[in-house]
Amino acid sequence: GNSVTQMEGPVTLSEEAFLTINCTYTATGYPSLFWYVQYPGEGLQLLLKATKADDKGSNKGFEATYRKETTSFHLEKGSVQVSDSAVYFCALSDQAAGNKLTFGGGTRVLVKP
Amino acid sequence: NAGVMQNPRHLVRRRGQEARLRCSPMKGHSHVYWYRQLPEEGLKFMVYLQKENIIDESGMPKERFSAEFPKEGPSILRIQQVVRGDSAAYFCASSPGTGSSYNSPLHFGNGTRLTVT
């Protein structure tokens, strides 16, 4: 079956630091990959996505590249802000599972001023 | 342009009572998904519905939990005889469900936080 593994948090950073959150996956087919962000007390918002190998998703300064050879989709941001404090979820869906998303366990990020 | 609407935002029930959680998908979306998030954990898939049909309920507990998405009105997740272990955030998501839907992102509501006392 499908699974997603992401680094455990919490990750604590200073403002303007570089952020990396590792994500690897296992899938039977050719999945689409997503990063979602959850701010306190809210639902999940799509941050970025990539639908095929070597695609790069980007949004709000965040980037992630779909690496089929390493089955990874690591999230990066060059200079974080306090407002980036949130929980980040890596997820995948594949055609065999319809549009059902399989999520990683989430990584809490705390950015200090 | 309303997104996915869930209500109530917070729900408190005593053990043994019933909990009803409602979800109205985004306009034009015909597919609804329910997920559960336990404290400090990720989201676990529960059930996937289209109008009047349950497509995939592989994540639903076998007892006490049921879901429906009628022709008219919101999708309902129903938990009978709640226990403390049911305390969690329940999120609904929707998608258009057309074409290559598997690479279309799901749109999530803000969740219902259920507390069982």
Side-chain angles (χ1 to χ4, degrees):
Chain A
N2 296 339
S3 67
V4 176
T5 303
Q6 59 183 109
M7 61 188 287
E8 289 188 18
V11 174
T12 304
L13 303 164
S14 297
E15 214 166 15
E16 299 183 4
F18 185 88
L19 170 68
T20 300
I21 304 176
N22 289 342
C23 170
T24 57
Y25 66 89
T26 302
T28 52
Y30 299 94
S32 291
L33 302 174
F34 306 86
W35 277 100
Y36 280 82
V37 59
Q38 184 180 32
Y39 299 103
E42 297 185 11
L44 276 71
Q45 302 174 24
L46 178 68
L47 183 58
L48 52 85
K49 73 172 189 177
T51 59
K52 61 183 188 296
D54 300 324
D55 268 3
K56 178 186 284 188
S58 60
N59 185 27
K60 299 181 181 179
F62 290 89
E63 292 184 341
T65 301
Y66 188 141
R67 301 285 188 202
K68 188 177 178 184
E69 63 276 10
T70 54
T71 61
S72 64
F73 193 54
H74 305 321
L75 183 68
E76 297 181 336
K77 185 173 185 180
S79 177
V80 293
Q81 306 300 314
V82 172
S83 57
D84 293 324
S85 299
V87 181
Y88 293 83
F89 292 94
C90 186
L92 70 82
S93 68
D94 71 41
Q95 204 160 15
N99 211 11
K100 185 173 71 179
L101 284 171
T102 300
F103 284 92
T107 302
R108 183 176 300 277
V109 172
L110 176 62
V111 181
K112 295 185 175 179
Chain B
N1 184 18
V4 178
M5 303 300 293
Q6 289 189 249
N7 67 81
R9 285 294 303 270
H10 301 275
L11 182 62
V12 179
R13 285 287 178 265
R14 292 198 186 99
R15 277 180 297 171
Q17 291 185 319
E18 178 179 288
R20 280 183 180 242
L21 288 62
R22 295 175 187 78
C23 170
S24 296
M26 280 185 72
K27 188 176 181 180
H29 286 192
S30 59
H31 291 212
V32 164
Y33 305 76
W34 285 94
Y35 286 80
R36 176 164 62 176
Q37 184 179 32
L38 294 169
E40 302 301 319
E41 293 188 15
L43 279 79
K44 303 297 184 186
F45 168 78
M46 298 182 75
V47 63
Y48 162 33
L49 310 103
Q50 297 175 17
K51 287 281 188 181
E52 300 183 283
N53 278 314
I54 296 175
I55 306 302
D56 181 347
E57 56 181 350
S58 58
M60 287 280 270
K62 293 288 184 278
E63 297 176 349
R64 302 188 297 109
F65 285 72
S66 62
E68 62 177 9
F69 189 17
K71 187 177 180 181
E72 301 291 337
S75 175
I76 306 288
L77 179 68
R78 182 181 177 209
I79 312 172
Q80 295 178 291
Q81 299 176 323
V82 296
V83 300
R84 288 217 173 112
D86 297 332
S87 296
Y90 292 82
F91 290 96
C92 171
S94 71
S95 74
T98 57
S100 298
S101 59
Y102 78 101
N103 60 14
S104 299
L106 299 187
H107 297 264
F108 282 83
N110 283 339
T112 293
R113 280 150 184 86
L114 172 66
T115 302
V116 179
T117 61

